[in-house]
Amino acid sequence: MNSVGEGCTDLKREYDQCFNRWFAEKFLKGDRSEDPCTEMFKKYQSCVQKAIKEKDIPIDGVEFMGPNKEKPGS
């Protein structure tokens, strides 16, 4: 799946690969150490936020998840 911003698609794929590798090789095997993909996620997130702003996509009232954020109600 491509990203909301065409220029963000490569960053999305890189992050997805990093996360999937960490999740399968570390997290599912009990290694709960820090996610090595956090910086990559931040770069991708910044790109997406810029694309959303440039495309004037309304996001009022939308809550975003990311590293170090807990789910609402938890």
Side-chain angles (χ1 to χ4, degrees):
M1 175 184 274
N2 289 338
S3 181
V4 66
E6 288 181 31
C8 305
T9 298
D10 286 343
L11 287 171
K12 179 188 184 310
R13 288 188 181 131
E14 288 175 28
Y15 170 72
D16 286 347
Q17 287 176 353
C18 181
F19 177 83
N20 290 336
R21 187 177 325 110
W22 168 79
F23 189 76
E25 296 175 6
K26 302 286 184 173
F27 186 82
L28 290 179
K29 295 179 181 176
D31 183 350
R32 304 296 196 262
S33 61
E34 188 173 327
D35 176 359
C37 309
T38 300
E39 289 304 313
M40 198 176 297
F41 175 80
K42 288 178 182 178
K43 288 178 187 177
Y44 171 58
Q45 182 182 44
S46 177
C47 186
V48 168
Q49 288 171 341
K50 181 179 176 188
I52 287 171
K53 193 172 199 170
E54 287 173 355
K55 292 181 178 197
D56 201 27
I57 298 172
I59 58 171
D60 294 339
V62 176
E63 293 186 32
F64 293 94
M65 294 295 294
N68 304 319
K69 288 192 176 185
E70 292 185 25
K71 291 181 184 178
S74 61

